[in-house]
Amino acid sequence: MIGFFLRRMLEAIPVLALVLLAVFSLTHLIPGDPAVMLLGPDASNQQIMALRHDLHLDTPLYLQFCAYLMQLLHGDLGESLRTGRPVAVSLALYLPATSELAVTALFFSLFIGLPLGILAARKPGGIMDRILQLYTLCGVSIPAFLLAFGLQIVFCSWLDWLPVAGRSSAFAPHALTSGFALTSALLHGNISMLADLGSHILLPALVLGTFIAATLARFLRNTMLETLSADYILTARAKGLRQTQILLSQALPNAIGPAIMVLGVQFGDMLGGAILTETVFSWPGVGRYMFEAIRTRDYPAIQSTTLVFAIIFMIVSLTADVMTALIDPRLRNGRSS
């Protein structure tokens, strides 16, 4: 198991290097000049050139890339061109909100996707299978921002059940914009704080979790149907085991491993969707921070935030691989069958 873990760690190093190179190159291809964005359209050419020199934007790209790598080797993510604040400080401020949103969305996807996939596999072609097909089509096809706007219109404007944006009520005594607020409310049993924070996180988590739930349910349904055609399942049926017992005790344990791998892969899509989702819901997280960085051509913030997203994605993928290897010993030995 240790060898399997080390192999996955070594495989992640060249991927991370390619991510760094690709992000740095693509960031500098974004139309617009950061100096012009910071100074405004009324700035003179002399002012723009002076600011570009101060920000080292007038040096060749390969020198800028080498300087950025040296900063990373010293644990420095750089300073934001827009705020002048170290990017690491901003990420430490906004990452807890995004973490709680991502974990809540993951719970939503498991709560919806697992039962729906199992019920659809129980009777192929039945009503639950048709519901799954419709849900999968909608969940995969509808863009995150469009679903977010639709939920805001229905639950915030028409029904007035939930708040339209933010992380907590503005005038609440516990009003917070950073930190693990929801986790703190759970640990301390603060019901009023938990209700307020829960009402704010419900819609953005549902938006992020919908796509993952649809993909998970469809994949789990197909994997379980393949498992149900195996010989040992036919033997279990011949012994008189009920369909529900076969599904839960025989088919699900063998289908859950690939489903965990799908969750790890889809987690990266959820991080990408968090950028628009957090912007629509005014969620004070890393996604919204990155959106503002892209809008203002804040190169250090874009590069470092993307790097952090890539590291988080690799950690989640590695965790999914390890969990799958624990379930299926064949993977630890490098065999697929």
Side-chain angles (χ1 to χ4, degrees):
M1 194 65 202
I2 297 178
F4 174 82
F5 180 80
L6 292 177
R7 284 199 307 271
R8 289 292 186 266
M9 289 290 293
L10 292 175
E11 291 171 358
I13 294 176
V15 174
L16 189 60
L18 290 175
V19 168
L20 279 174
L21 181 59
V23 170
F24 183 87
S25 303
L26 293 175
T27 299
H28 285 77
L29 290 177
I30 298 176
D33 191 332
V36 176
M37 299 294 295
L38 291 173
L39 294 175
D42 297 330
S44 63
N45 290 332
Q46 291 79 6
Q47 291 175 320
I48 294 174
M49 295 302 295
L51 182 58
R52 285 181 57 84
H53 179 73
D54 293 339
L55 299 176
H56 305 289
L57 296 175
D58 56 350
T59 58
L61 284 181
Y62 72 92
L63 292 179
Q64 295 184 43
F65 183 65
C66 292
Y68 179 62
L69 287 181
M70 291 302 297
Q71 284 183 340
L72 291 179
L73 291 177
H74 289 84
D76 184 8
L77 297 180
E79 293 185 354
S80 170
L81 302 181
R82 178 170 53 95
T83 63
R85 177 189 295 177
V87 177
V89 174
S90 298
L91 291 179
L93 180 65
Y94 297 124
L95 192 57
T98 297
S99 300
E100 289 191 339
L101 179 59
V103 171
T104 306
L106 195 60
F107 276 117
F108 266 121
S109 64
L110 292 173
F111 182 76
I112 298 174
L114 286 179
L116 193 55
I118 295 172
L119 291 175
R122 188 175 186 274
K123 190 176 181 181
I127 183 171
M128 291 305 302
D129 197 16
R130 296 181 184 276
I131 292 175
L132 175 60
Q133 292 178 8
L134 178 61
Y135 176 70
T136 303
L137 179 63
C138 296
V140 175
S141 303
I142 299 177
F145 73 92
L146 185 59
L147 178 60
F149 285 136
L151 292 177
Q152 283 180 329
I153 292 174
V154 174
F155 291 99
C156 304
S157 298
W158 292 353
L159 300 176
D160 196 22
W161 287 355
L162 298 171
V164 68
R167 194 182 181 192
S168 65
S169 299
F171 301 103
H174 57 266
L176 298 173
T177 57
S178 63
F180 293 95
L182 189 61
T183 305
S184 177
L186 284 171
L187 294 177
H188 292 88
N190 192 330
I191 303 302
S192 61
M193 180 179 178
L194 185 61
D196 181 55
L197 295 173
S199 65
H200 282 80
I201 202 175
L202 182 61
L203 290 185
L206 185 60
V207 171
L208 288 179
T210 295
F211 176 79
I212 301 180
T215 306
L216 173 64
R218 191 65 182 176
F219 186 86
L220 183 62
R221 178 256 187 198
N222 294 337
T223 307
M224 289 191 69
L225 287 180
E226 293 179 3
T227 305
L228 288 172
S229 62
D231 292 339
Y232 71 92
I233 297 294
L234 298 178
T235 303
R237 286 198 177 115
K239 291 181 178 179
L241 292 180
R242 293 177 298 176
Q243 179 71 0
T244 302
Q245 188 176 359
I246 292 175
L247 283 171
L248 297 180
S249 63
Q250 302 291 329
L252 183 59
N254 290 280
I256 199 65
I260 292 175
M261 296 185 67
V262 169
L263 278 179
V265 174
Q266 296 302 322
F267 190 82
D269 294 331
M270 184 172 66
L271 290 178
I275 298 176
L276 291 177
T277 303
E278 290 186 359
T279 302
V280 172
F281 287 99
S282 297
W283 189 263
V286 179
R288 188 182 177 193
Y289 174 73
M290 187 172 185
F291 177 83
E292 292 296 328
I294 295 174
R295 187 178 63 85
T296 57
R297 312 300 187 270
D298 191 346
Y299 292 162
I302 297 173
Q303 293 162 184
S304 299
T305 305
T306 306
L307 175 63
V308 170
F309 273 174
I311 293 174
I312 293 174
F313 174 67
M314 285 191 291
I315 292 174
V316 173
S317 298
L318 179 61
T319 304
D321 287 343
V322 171
M323 292 178 62
T324 306
L326 289 173
I327 296 174
D328 190 348
R330 296 172 299 177
L331 298 177
R332 297 198 295 268
N333 301 322
R335 301 193 304 270
S336 59
S337 61

